[in-house]
């Protein structure tokens, strides 16, 4: 299940998740518009169930399963938001969810996964360790793997965000999302260009985890990047199929430093009055870093999550 979804699959996903997912609002800030020199329309996915856009893809995957497969449960690996989303989605269908979590994951996100009723399996903080533990859980339980970003059903679910945003805010000139594994960016690109092929699409990526930007520049997938960024939700290497989507939909990836991202997060907290996590702030950081790319335009800006560990802040 790692082929790119069609637009029809995105529309099917929208109908499938409608009884369970929230229709999230689009927020505005005159102060941020003035700073950016553009008209910014913030899609508030930090207000989605589970506090992140990930619920869309997880919910679509869970409700796509036939009854026999669903009865065996689902499994994934996740640093937090996808794991929490899959656990919540599994609960809507009363099936088991197994989540493989790397050591060093944000405590607040692990607690959210446990509160949603998932069974946690810990592993070393490497992609190989995550995948090996998932395979072990699959062998032991028969659970269906729901990959965080390479699963067709997940990508289709994430693409529903673009359907909503373009219905809520017609006439956008550009749209920007964070880029990690690429499930959101690819799903959004497929849906957005099906609706408006002229829309300019951008991705925002941490400088310390810039494999997507490097891959697009080099013309081949770069897998040697060792992530070093505060953006815990964007440390995954971009998936092969996801990269194909970014390339074919001409998504331009802008890299931002952690310092630029933290400054943007503080602006979102102070001016938009919204608590978003640092990975979400990469999009505003990218706009402020390269304002000439967005000047005078109507821009859809995806805020992906709000699961901040407030206890870890230096009060």
């Amino acid at each position: 299940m790692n082929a790119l979804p069609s637009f029809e699959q995105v529309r099917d996903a929208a109908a499938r998740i409608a009884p369970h997912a929230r229709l999230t609002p689009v927020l505005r800030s005159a102060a941020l518009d003035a700073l950016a020199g553009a008209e910014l329309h913030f899609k508030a996915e930090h207000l989605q169930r589970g506090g992140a856009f990930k619920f869309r893809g997880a919910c679509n995957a869970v409700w796509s399963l036939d009854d026999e497969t669903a009865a065996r449960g689902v499994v994934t690996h996740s640093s937090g938001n996808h794991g929490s989303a899959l656990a919540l989605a599994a609960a809507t269908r009363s099936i088991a969810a197994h989540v493989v979590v790397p050591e060093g994951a944000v405590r607040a996100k692990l607690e959210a996964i446990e509160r949603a009723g998932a069974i946690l399996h810990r592993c070393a903080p490497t992609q190989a360790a995550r995948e090996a533990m998932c395979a072990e859980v699959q062998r032991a339980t028969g659970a269906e793997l729901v990959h965080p970003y390479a699963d067709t059903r997940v990508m289709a679910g994430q693409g529903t965000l673009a359907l909503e945003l373009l219905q809520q805010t017609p006439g956008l000139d550009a749209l920007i999302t964070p880029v990690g594994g690429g499930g959101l960016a690819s799903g959004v690109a497929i849906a957005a260009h099906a609706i408006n092929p002229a829309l300019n699409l951008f991705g925002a990526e941490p400088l310390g985890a810039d494999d997507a930007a490097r891959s697009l520049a080099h013309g081949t997938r770069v897998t040697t990047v060792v992530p070093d960024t505060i953006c815990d939700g964007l440390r995954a290497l971009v998936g092969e199929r996801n990269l194909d989507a970014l390339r074919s939909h001409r998504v331009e990836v802008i890299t931002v430093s952690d310092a630029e991202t933290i400054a943007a997060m503080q602006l979102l907290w102070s001016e938009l009055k919204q608590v978003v996590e640092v990975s979400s702030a990469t999009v505003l950081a990218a706009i402020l870093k390269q304002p000439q790319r967005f000047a005078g335009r109507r821009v859809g800006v995806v805020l992906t999550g709000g699961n901040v560990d407030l206890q870890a802040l230096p009060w």
Side-chain angles (χ1 to χ4, degrees):
M1 288 296 294
N2 63 352
L4 291 172
S6 65
F7 182 52
E8 183 178 1
Q9 286 173 304
V10 176
R11 288 190 298 188
D12 289 345
R16 191 175 290 118
I17 72 174
H20 310 287
R22 291 176 186 154
L23 174 61
T24 55
V26 176
L27 307 177
R28 301 292 315 282
S29 164
L32 294 179
D33 283 1
L35 269 178
E39 189 177 300
L40 306 182
H41 299 261
F42 295 94
K43 181 61 169 163
E45 282 297 294
H46 60 295
L47 303 178
Q48 184 55 261
R49 285 186 68 173
F53 76 95
K54 296 277 191 178
F55 183 77
R56 295 176 181 273
C59 187
N60 186 50
V62 163
W63 285 97
S64 296
L65 302 176
D66 61 62
D67 289 343
E68 182 180 347
T69 304
R72 296 195 294 269
V74 288
V75 61
T76 195
H77 57 81
S78 170
S79 63
N81 283 343
H82 176 67
S84 176
L86 189 64
L88 286 169
T92 68
R93 200 165 175 181
S94 300
I95 63 175
H98 300 268
V99 180
V100 173
V101 296
E103 296 295 340
V106 175
R107 183 175 59 83
K109 293 182 178 181
L110 296 186
E111 290 173 354
I113 296 171
E114 289 184 300
R115 281 198 305 273
I119 302 160
L120 265 59
H121 306 265
R122 296 181 183 272
C123 71
T126 67
Q127 192 76 8
R130 289 183 180 207
E131 291 171 0
M133 182 64 77
C134 271
E136 186 177 318
V137 173
Q138 279 186 281
R139 285 192 297 270
T141 64
E144 174 81 358
L145 177 64
V146 180
H147 194 277
Y149 52 84
D151 190 299
T152 308
R153 301 162 298 193
V154 169
M155 286 185 273
Q158 319 304 29
T160 64
L161 184 157
L163 292 184
E164 280 185 16
L165 176 57
L166 294 176
Q167 287 169 355
Q168 291 168 306
T169 313
L172 290 178
D173 302 306
L175 201 165
I176 184 167
T177 71
V179 177
L184 173 65
S186 55
V188 163
I190 289 164
H193 269 173
I195 296 168
N196 179 5
L199 197 66
N200 289 132
L201 300 178
F202 294 89
E205 188 175 44
L207 196 57
D210 63 346
D211 56 290
R214 292 195 201 187
S215 297
L216 290 171
H218 294 165
T220 186
R221 185 167 177 252
V222 173
T223 58
T224 54
V225 174
V226 178
D228 181 16
T229 174
I230 195 172
C231 302
D232 63 289
L234 302 178
R235 291 173 185 158
L237 295 176
V238 67
E240 189 173 347
R241 296 283 77 80
N242 309 91
L243 182 64
D244 289 342
L246 300 188
R247 186 181 294 114
S248 63
H249 289 277
R250 305 175 305 282
V251 177
E252 299 179 55
V253 176
I254 298 170
T255 57
V256 289
S257 69
D258 280 356
E260 290 164 336
T261 301
I262 291 168
M265 181 176 70
Q266 291 169 338
L267 280 172
L268 288 165
W269 286 28
S270 63
E271 299 297 343
L272 203 60
K273 311 304 181 189
Q274 300 293 309
V275 177
V276 299
E277 58 193 77
V278 67
S279 296
S280 291
T282 54
V283 286
L284 180 58
I287 292 169
L288 296 178
K289 183 174 186 177
Q290 297 196 14
Q292 71 280 3
R293 311 286 286 279
F294 305 94
R297 308 176 82 189
R298 302 182 79 224
V299 186
V301 186
V302 180
L303 300 177
T304 46
N307 294 316
V308 178
D309 188 357
L310 297 176
Q311 298 303 317
L313 295 178
W315 299 115

Tab-separated table of all heavy atoms in Angstrom, residues 256-303:
chain	number	residue	atom	x	y	z
A	256	VAL	N	14.854	25.856	6.624
A	256	VAL	CA	14.921	26.870	7.686
A	256	VAL	C	15.701	26.319	8.877
A	256	VAL	O	15.640	25.135	9.186
A	256	VAL	CB	13.505	27.302	8.147
A	256	VAL	CG1	12.831	28.130	7.065
A	256	VAL	CG2	12.628	26.097	8.486
A	257	SER	N	16.425	27.197	9.532
A	257	SER	CA	17.197	26.794	10.709
A	257	SER	C	16.272	26.631	11.906
A	257	SER	O	15.148	27.142	11.929
A	257	SER	CB	18.261	27.848	11.030
A	257	SER	OG	17.642	29.039	11.498
A	258	ASP	N	16.760	25.948	12.929
A	258	ASP	CA	15.978	25.799	14.164
A	258	ASP	C	15.722	27.163	14.802
A	258	ASP	O	14.634	27.417	15.333
A	258	ASP	CB	16.700	24.883	15.146
A	258	ASP	CG	16.514	23.403	14.819
A	258	ASP	OD1	15.755	23.085	13.870
A	258	ASP	OD2	17.127	22.569	15.510
A	259	ALA	N	16.703	28.052	14.746
A	259	ALA	CA	16.526	29.383	15.340
A	259	ALA	C	15.412	30.150	14.622
A	259	ALA	O	14.575	30.797	15.270
A	259	ALA	CB	17.836	30.166	15.279
A	260	GLU	N	15.381	30.064	13.303
A	260	GLU	CA	14.323	30.720	12.530
A	260	GLU	C	12.960	30.121	12.849
A	260	GLU	O	11.953	30.829	12.952
A	260	GLU	CB	14.618	30.601	11.034
A	260	GLU	CG	15.805	31.436	10.587
A	260	GLU	CD	16.339	31.048	9.229
A	260	GLU	OE1	16.135	29.885	8.795
A	260	GLU	OE2	16.992	31.900	8.584
A	261	THR	N	12.928	28.810	13.027
A	261	THR	CA	11.676	28.118	13.327
A	261	THR	C	11.157	28.471	14.715
A	261	THR	O	9.960	28.704	14.902
A	261	THR	CB	11.870	26.595	13.198
A	261	THR	OG1	12.299	26.296	11.868
A	261	THR	CG2	10.580	25.852	13.485
A	262	ILE	N	12.050	28.531	15.699
A	262	ILE	CA	11.646	28.891	17.063
A	262	ILE	C	11.096	30.318	17.086
A	262	ILE	O	10.073	30.597	17.728
A	262	ILE	CB	12.830	28.738	18.037
A	262	ILE	CG1	13.176	27.251	18.206
A	262	ILE	CG2	12.499	29.364	19.391
A	262	ILE	CD1	14.501	27.002	18.905
A	263	ALA	N	11.744	31.220	16.364
A	263	ALA	CA	11.259	32.604	16.299
A	263	ALA	C	9.864	32.655	15.668
A	263	ALA	O	8.990	33.401	16.131
A	263	ALA	CB	12.236	33.458	15.492
A	264	ALA	N	9.643	31.841	14.639
A	264	ALA	CA	8.328	31.797	13.995
A	264	ALA	C	7.277	31.199	14.931
A	264	ALA	O	6.128	31.658	14.968
A	264	ALA	CB	8.405	30.976	12.704
A	265	MET	N	7.654	30.186	15.700
A	265	MET	CA	6.722	29.594	16.659
A	265	MET	C	6.311	30.623	17.710
A	265	MET	O	5.136	30.718	18.078
A	265	MET	CB	7.339	28.370	17.341
A	265	MET	CG	6.398	27.680	18.333
A	265	MET	SD	7.076	26.155	19.050
A	265	MET	CE	8.363	26.831	20.087
A	266	GLN	N	7.265	31.407	18.172
A	266	GLN	CA	6.948	32.448	19.149
A	266	GLN	C	5.988	33.485	18.560
A	266	GLN	O	5.085	33.971	19.244
A	266	GLN	CB	8.245	33.106	19.638
A	266	GLN	CG	9.096	32.169	20.493
A	266	GLN	CD	10.486	32.719	20.765
A	266	GLN	OE1	10.993	33.569	20.034
A	266	GLN	NE2	11.131	32.217	21.815
A	267	LEU	N	6.146	33.798	17.280
A	267	LEU	CA	5.225	34.714	16.610
A	267	LEU	C	3.821	34.133	16.527
A	267	LEU	O	2.831	34.838	16.733
A	267	LEU	CB	5.739	35.039	15.198
A	267	LEU	CG	6.833	36.089	15.072
A	267	LEU	CD1	7.354	36.135	13.642
A	267	LEU	CD2	6.314	37.462	15.496
A	268	LEU	N	3.731	32.850	16.207
A	268	LEU	CA	2.418	32.207	16.123
A	268	LEU	C	1.735	32.193	17.487
A	268	LEU	O	0.528	32.403	17.582
A	268	LEU	CB	2.570	30.780	15.582
A	268	LEU	CG	2.925	30.687	14.102
A	268	LEU	CD1	3.401	29.282	13.743
A	268	LEU	CD2	1.728	31.072	13.238
A	269	TRP	N	2.526	31.964	18.528
A	269	TRP	CA	1.965	31.981	19.878
A	269	TRP	C	1.494	33.387	20.239
A	269	TRP	O	0.395	33.564	20.774
A	269	TRP	CB	3.011	31.505	20.893
A	269	TRP	CG	3.285	30.030	20.885
A	269	TRP	CD1	3.164	29.181	19.826
A	269	TRP	CD2	3.746	29.239	21.979
A	269	TRP	NE1	3.533	27.912	20.194
A	269	TRP	CE2	3.894	27.916	21.500
A	269	TRP	CE3	4.079	29.524	23.301
A	269	TRP	CZ2	4.338	26.874	22.317
A	269	TRP	CZ3	4.530	28.486	24.118
A	269	TRP	CH2	4.641	27.180	23.630
A	270	SER	N	2.306	34.380	19.932
A	270	SER	CA	2.007	35.738	20.400
A	270	SER	C	1.006	36.472	19.519
A	270	SER	O	0.159	37.215	20.022
A	270	SER	CB	3.295	36.555	20.512
A	270	SER	OG	3.898	36.705	19.239
A	271	GLU	N	1.075	36.274	18.191
A	271	GLU	CA	0.220	37.038	17.279
A	271	GLU	C	-1.043	36.286	16.874
A	271	GLU	O	-2.116	36.875	16.786
A	271	GLU	CB	1.010	37.446	16.024
A	271	GLU	CG	2.212	38.329	16.297
A	271	GLU	CD	1.850	39.674	16.913
A	271	GLU	OE1	0.664	40.083	16.842
A	271	GLU	OE2	2.745	40.325	17.490
A	272	LEU	N	-0.919	34.974	16.631
A	272	LEU	CA	-2.102	34.193	16.253
A	272	LEU	C	-2.834	33.669	17.486
A	272	LEU	O	-3.967	33.224	17.407
A	272	LEU	CB	-1.686	33.028	15.343
A	272	LEU	CG	-2.748	32.442	14.424
A	272	LEU	CD1	-3.291	33.480	13.461
A	272	LEU	CD2	-2.169	31.259	13.648
A	273	LYS	N	-2.142	33.727	18.637
A	273	LYS	CA	-2.694	33.264	19.919
A	273	LYS	C	-3.005	31.773	19.888
A	273	LYS	O	-3.996	31.319	20.460
A	273	LYS	CB	-3.968	34.052	20.301
A	273	LYS	CG	-3.846	35.561	20.206
A	273	LYS	CD	-2.700	36.098	21.046
A	273	LYS	CE	-2.629	37.625	20.941
A	273	LYS	NZ	-1.407	38.171	21.560
A	274	GLN	N	-2.130	31.014	19.224
A	274	GLN	CA	-2.316	29.577	19.102
A	274	GLN	C	-1.047	28.853	19.541
A	274	GLN	O	0.058	29.245	19.148
A	274	GLN	CB	-2.625	29.189	17.651
A	274	GLN	CG	-3.885	29.820	17.082
A	274	GLN	CD	-5.143	29.302	17.760
A	274	GLN	OE1	-5.354	28.099	17.878
A	274	GLN	NE2	-5.985	30.226	18.209
A	275	VAL	N	-1.221	27.819	20.361
A	275	VAL	CA	-0.084	26.987	20.762
A	275	VAL	C	0.115	25.914	19.693
A	275	VAL	O	-0.685	24.986	19.572
A	275	VAL	CB	-0.324	26.340	22.138
A	275	VAL	CG1	0.840	25.420	22.492
A	275	VAL	CG2	-0.492	27.412	23.204
A	276	VAL	N	1.165	26.080	18.896
A	276	VAL	CA	1.507	25.075	17.892
A	276	VAL	C	2.888	24.530	18.199
A	276	VAL	O	3.718	25.204	18.816
A	276	VAL	CB	1.469	25.649	16.458
A	276	VAL	CG1	0.072	26.144	16.120
A	276	VAL	CG2	2.495	26.754	16.286
A	277	GLU	N	3.152	23.313	17.762
A	277	GLU	CA	4.462	22.737	18.028
A	277	GLU	C	5.486	23.250	17.017
A	277	GLU	O	5.138	23.809	15.963
A	277	GLU	CB	4.392	21.212	18.035
A	277	GLU	CG	3.885	20.576	16.769
A	277	GLU	CD	3.556	19.109	16.990
A	277	GLU	OE1	2.511	18.795	17.581
A	277	GLU	OE2	4.366	18.283	16.543
A	278	VAL	N	6.745	23.036	17.329
A	278	VAL	CA	7.814	23.664	16.562
A	278	VAL	C	7.821	23.217	15.107
A	278	VAL	O	8.094	24.015	14.203
A	278	VAL	CB	9.170	23.422	17.267
A	278	VAL	CG1	9.566	21.961	17.240
A	278	VAL	CG2	10.254	24.300	16.663
A	279	SER	N	7.479	21.959	14.835
A	279	SER	CA	7.459	21.494	13.439
A	279	SER	C	6.478	22.308	12.600
A	279	SER	O	6.725	22.576	11.415
A	279	SER	CB	7.084	20.007	13.381
A	279	SER	OG	8.059	19.214	14.021
A	280	SER	N	5.365	22.703	13.202
A	280	SER	CA	4.360	23.499	12.502
A	280	SER	C	4.896	24.860	12.090
A	280	SER	O	4.471	25.423	11.074
A	280	SER	CB	3.136	23.737	13.400
A	280	SER	OG	2.414	22.567	13.620
A	281	ALA	N	5.786	25.401	12.889
A	281	ALA	CA	6.254	26.768	12.673
A	281	ALA	C	7.216	26.890	11.501
A	281	ALA	O	7.526	28.006	11.063
A	281	ALA	CB	6.906	27.297	13.948
A	282	THR	N	7.689	25.774	10.953
A	282	THR	CA	8.607	25.840	9.816
A	282	THR	C	7.979	26.581	8.643
A	282	THR	O	8.676	27.250	7.875
A	282	THR	CB	9.023	24.437	9.354
A	282	THR	OG1	7.850	23.652	9.092
A	282	THR	CG2	9.890	23.744	10.405
A	283	VAL	N	6.653	26.471	8.492
A	283	VAL	CA	6.000	27.099	7.335
A	283	VAL	C	6.074	28.624	7.412
A	283	VAL	O	6.382	29.284	6.419
A	283	VAL	CB	4.542	26.621	7.185
A	283	VAL	CG1	4.499	25.186	6.645
A	283	VAL	CG2	3.775	26.708	8.500
A	284	LEU	N	5.798	29.167	8.586
A	284	LEU	CA	5.901	30.617	8.746
A	284	LEU	C	7.361	31.045	8.655
A	284	LEU	O	7.676	32.085	8.058
A	284	LEU	CB	5.301	31.068	10.074
A	284	LEU	CG	5.366	32.576	10.349
A	284	LEU	CD1	4.658	33.375	9.258
A	284	LEU	CD2	4.788	32.902	11.730
A	285	ALA	N	8.252	30.248	9.219
A	285	ALA	CA	9.683	30.566	9.130
A	285	ALA	C	10.130	30.653	7.675
A	285	ALA	O	10.895	31.547	7.296
A	285	ALA	CB	10.503	29.510	9.877
A	286	ALA	N	9.639	29.739	6.837
A	286	ALA	CA	10.016	29.728	5.419
A	286	ALA	C	9.495	30.969	4.703
A	286	ALA	O	10.199	31.563	3.870
A	286	ALA	CB	9.488	28.465	4.754
A	287	ILE	N	8.272	31.367	5.017
A	287	ILE	CA	7.682	32.556	4.391
A	287	ILE	C	8.468	33.804	4.783
A	287	ILE	O	8.767	34.661	3.949
A	287	ILE	CB	6.200	32.691	4.782
A	287	ILE	CG1	5.387	31.559	4.143
A	287	ILE	CG2	5.640	34.039	4.368
A	287	ILE	CD1	3.977	31.439	4.677
A	288	LEU	N	8.826	33.903	6.053
A	288	LEU	CA	9.563	35.080	6.525
A	288	LEU	C	11.013	35.077	6.039
A	288	LEU	O	11.628	36.133	5.897
A	288	LEU	CB	9.514	35.141	8.055
A	288	LEU	CG	8.118	35.341	8.656
A	288	LEU	CD1	8.190	35.328	10.180
A	288	LEU	CD2	7.465	36.621	8.152
A	289	LYS	N	11.549	33.888	5.763
A	289	LYS	CA	12.924	33.792	5.271
A	289	LYS	C	13.027	34.214	3.806
A	289	LYS	O	14.005	34.828	3.389
A	289	LYS	CB	13.440	32.361	5.437
A	289	LYS	CG	14.901	32.183	5.022
A	289	LYS	CD	15.391	30.791	5.342
A	289	LYS	CE	16.885	30.655	5.054
A	289	LYS	NZ	17.380	29.314	5.440
A	290	GLN	N	11.996	33.866	3.029
A	290	GLN	CA	12.006	34.199	1.600
A	290	GLN	C	10.725	34.953	1.231
A	290	GLN	O	9.906	34.455	0.453
A	290	GLN	CB	12.167	32.939	0.760
A	290	GLN	CG	13.477	32.213	0.992
A	290	GLN	CD	13.796	31.205	-0.098
A	290	GLN	OE1	13.209	31.195	-1.154
A	290	GLN	NE2	14.759	30.345	0.185
A	291	PRO	N	10.524	36.128	1.803
A	291	PRO	CA	9.266	36.846	1.600
A	291	PRO	C	8.989	37.208	0.145
A	291	PRO	O	7.826	37.351	-0.249
A	291	PRO	CB	9.427	38.105	2.468
A	291	PRO	CG	10.911	38.277	2.616
A	291	PRO	CD	11.469	36.886	2.643
A	292	GLN	N	10.034	37.324	-0.658
A	292	GLN	CA	9.840	37.683	-2.060
A	292	GLN	C	9.066	36.609	-2.820
A	292	GLN	O	8.415	36.904	-3.834
A	292	GLN	CB	11.199	37.943	-2.740
A	292	GLN	CG	12.058	36.706	-2.980
A	292	GLN	CD	12.821	36.220	-1.757
A	292	GLN	OE1	12.677	36.792	-0.667
A	292	GLN	NE2	13.616	35.177	-1.918
A	293	ARG	N	9.122	35.373	-2.334
A	293	ARG	CA	8.398	34.282	-3.007
A	293	ARG	C	6.899	34.360	-2.772
A	293	ARG	O	6.113	33.760	-3.518
A	293	ARG	CB	8.910	32.921	-2.484
A	293	ARG	CG	10.400	32.762	-2.463
A	293	ARG	CD	10.978	32.561	-3.851
A	293	ARG	NE	10.703	31.237	-4.377
A	293	ARG	CZ	11.401	30.135	-4.062
A	293	ARG	NH1	12.374	30.208	-3.176
A	293	ARG	NH2	11.121	28.985	-4.611
A	294	PHE	N	6.497	35.078	-1.740
A	294	PHE	CA	5.091	35.095	-1.336
A	294	PHE	C	4.471	36.495	-1.351
A	294	PHE	O	3.275	36.642	-1.107
A	294	PHE	CB	4.958	34.508	0.073
A	294	PHE	CG	5.537	33.130	0.210
A	294	PHE	CD1	6.849	32.945	0.648
A	294	PHE	CD2	4.785	32.016	-0.125
A	294	PHE	CE1	7.393	31.671	0.753
A	294	PHE	CE2	5.320	30.733	-0.016
A	294	PHE	CZ	6.628	30.565	0.413
A	295	ALA	N	5.260	37.507	-1.646
A	295	ALA	CA	4.822	38.895	-1.519
A	295	ALA	C	3.543	39.180	-2.313
A	295	ALA	O	3.441	38.853	-3.496
A	295	ALA	CB	5.929	39.844	-1.985
A	296	GLY	N	2.562	39.746	-1.624
A	296	GLY	CA	1.313	40.147	-2.256
A	296	GLY	C	0.396	39.016	-2.640
A	296	GLY	O	-0.626	39.241	-3.303
A	297	ARG	N	0.709	37.808	-2.230
A	297	ARG	CA	-0.070	36.647	-2.653
A	297	ARG	C	-0.961	36.134	-1.520
A	297	ARG	O	-0.730	36.411	-0.347
A	297	ARG	CB	0.866	35.529	-3.118
A	297	ARG	CG	1.872	36.003	-4.154
A	297	ARG	CD	2.847	34.916	-4.540
A	297	ARG	NE	2.275	34.028	-5.526
A	297	ARG	CZ	2.848	32.884	-5.918
A	297	ARG	NH1	3.994	32.493	-5.382
A	297	ARG	NH2	2.276	32.126	-6.818
A	298	ARG	N	-1.988	35.364	-1.903
A	298	ARG	CA	-2.858	34.705	-0.920
A	298	ARG	C	-2.303	33.299	-0.706
A	298	ARG	O	-2.285	32.486	-1.631
A	298	ARG	CB	-4.307	34.641	-1.423
A	298	ARG	CG	-4.900	36.008	-1.744
A	298	ARG	CD	-6.347	35.880	-2.195
A	298	ARG	NE	-7.238	35.693	-1.047
A	298	ARG	CZ	-8.234	34.810	-0.993
A	298	ARG	NH1	-8.458	33.996	-2.001
A	298	ARG	NH2	-8.998	34.739	0.077
A	299	VAL	N	-1.860	33.042	0.519
A	299	VAL	CA	-1.100	31.825	0.794
A	299	VAL	C	-1.811	30.964	1.836
A	299	VAL	O	-2.138	31.434	2.931
A	299	VAL	CB	0.324	32.174	1.311
A	299	VAL	CG1	1.160	30.911	1.459
A	299	VAL	CG2	1.011	33.174	0.374
A	300	GLY	N	-2.034	29.702	1.509
A	300	GLY	CA	-2.526	28.730	2.476
A	300	GLY	C	-1.347	28.184	3.266
A	300	GLY	O	-0.356	27.722	2.679
A	301	VAL	N	-1.427	28.267	4.590
A	301	VAL	CA	-0.316	27.897	5.465
A	301	VAL	C	-0.809	26.807	6.427
A	301	VAL	O	-1.682	27.060	7.256
A	301	VAL	CB	0.191	29.124	6.265
A	301	VAL	CG1	1.433	28.774	7.062
A	301	VAL	CG2	0.458	30.304	5.332
A	302	VAL	N	-0.256	25.607	6.314
A	302	VAL	CA	-0.757	24.483	7.104
A	302	VAL	C	-0.019	24.386	8.436
A	302	VAL	O	1.198	24.139	8.471
A	302	VAL	CB	-0.625	23.156	6.326
A	302	VAL	CG1	-1.152	21.994	7.176
A	302	VAL	CG2	-1.397	23.236	5.004
A	303	LEU	N	-0.759	24.591	9.533
A	303	LEU	CA	-0.234	24.378	10.880
A	303	LEU	C	-0.558	22.942	11.259
A	303	LEU	O	-1.710	22.588	11.480
A	303	LEU	CB	-0.880	25.361	11.862
A	303	LEU	CG	-0.648	26.844	11.561
A	303	LEU	CD1	-1.399	27.713	12.566
A	303	LEU	CD2	0.845	27.178	11.558
